[in-house]
Amino acid sequence: MLLGLILPFISLNIGWRFAYYLIALVSFLIALSYLPLDVKVEFKNNGGILTVVRNRDVITVSFSGFLFFLSYWIITLYAYKYFLDIGLNAYIAGFAYSLLAFAGIPSTVIAGYIIRNIGVKSTLTILECIYGMLTISLAYFISEIQVMMITTLMGSVRFVITPANSSAVSLIDDKNAGSISGFANFFWQSSGIVAPIIASIVISALGFHLLWVICGIIILISAISYHILLRI
């Protein structure tokens, strides 16, 4: 969330290469910080990947998460271009786009409180429904104020949905948490590969406005599948 503030400043005042140097340095320091940890893991064979695949909740989280992150990546990749396309100037478009992240700062702090009080399943169902409707509204509310209000709400909601997805994975089966996390993450991360392909096809064939309608519907399908299929 802080990258939007730090990296442009470094790129403009020092040089764009130093942004990459900074990332490399921070990564190296984080890697070193793990060395003092004394963690011992006792491996137990609890059925492995076959047990994971047979679990309906694992399939639900993987499939529903794939749909949500598919739309999320499309929003991340194309929202700024869309804001320019509907007539917002570059500064306002950039500010509106940044709200998709900055608005999530307070949400990140209270995400755990929300998930604990209404439950993982309810959090995913309710907030994904809200996020889906907000995504659809991007196609119809295009003034500067409307766009900034929508992106603020989207940022606030999204930063609760993401930890809720991770919480769902951790609650399914603690004995196979590593396998479940890896299996679900495979599908979640794969969505980033598929998203640009789908988005480019939709934009070329139907236009930007329908892209957000389709993304919103995909998110709503994810919310419905969580509500119907998830048992935790």
Side-chain angles (χ1 to χ4, degrees):
M1 290 181 286
L2 297 176
L3 289 178
L5 291 175
I6 297 172
L7 294 185
F9 176 83
I10 293 174
S11 299
L12 290 172
N13 292 278
I14 305 176
W16 65 268
R17 289 181 178 84
F18 284 87
Y20 289 92
Y21 298 156
L22 176 63
I23 293 170
L25 176 61
V26 171
S27 300
F28 180 71
L29 292 175
I30 291 173
L32 290 180
S33 72
Y34 284 104
L35 291 177
L37 294 179
D38 183 19
V39 179
K40 295 180 180 179
V41 179
E42 183 180 350
F43 176 77
K44 293 182 179 179
N45 189 351
N46 294 307
I49 193 66
L50 292 177
T51 301
V52 168
V53 172
R54 287 197 296 262
N55 190 316
R56 191 182 80 179
D57 285 338
V58 175
I59 302 301
T60 299
V61 169
S62 300
F63 171 73
S64 301
F66 174 85
L67 294 178
F68 171 76
F69 286 109
L70 173 68
S71 294
Y72 162 72
W73 280 115
I74 291 175
I75 294 166
T76 301
L77 293 171
Y78 291 93
Y80 178 71
K81 177 67 172 65
Y82 173 69
F83 297 155
L84 295 176
D85 191 70
I86 59 177
L88 275 62
N89 65 53
Y91 177 81
I92 297 297
F95 181 70
Y97 181 81
S98 69
L99 289 173
L100 291 169
F102 290 141
I105 295 175
S107 296
T108 303
V109 177
I110 64 172
Y113 176 83
I114 295 173
I115 295 169
R116 184 173 65 250
N117 280 273
I118 70 174
V120 172
K121 181 175 179 177
S122 296
T123 299
L124 289 169
T125 301
I126 296 170
L127 295 189
E128 282 199 7
C129 281
I130 295 172
Y131 195 76
M133 295 305 297
L134 288 169
T135 303
I136 293 173
S137 70
L138 278 177
Y140 301 101
F141 299 94
I142 59 175
S143 72
E144 293 181 1
I145 298 299
Q146 290 171 338
V147 167
M148 285 191 285
M149 289 178 62
I150 293 169
T151 54
T152 299
L153 292 172
M154 289 178 70
S156 300
V157 171
R158 204 270 290 180
F159 277 81
V160 179
I161 295 173
T162 302
N165 273 291
S166 300
S167 297
V169 168
S170 67
L171 292 173
I172 291 173
D173 181 0
D174 58 356
K175 294 180 180 179
N176 290 289
S179 297
I180 293 171
S181 178
F183 186 83
N185 252 302
F186 172 80
F187 291 94
W188 296 356
Q189 300 304 322
S190 297
S191 65
I193 301 172
V194 180
I197 300 171
I198 294 177
S200 61
I201 293 172
V202 173
I203 293 170
S204 300
L206 303 173
F208 255 131
H209 290 275
L210 282 180
L211 176 67
W212 307 124
V213 175
I214 292 172
C215 284
I217 292 173
I218 290 173
I219 295 170
L220 292 175
I221 293 172
S222 173
I224 293 170
S225 67
Y226 271 130
H227 179 69
I228 295 175
L229 300 175
L230 195 63
R231 295 174 296 186
I232 59 174

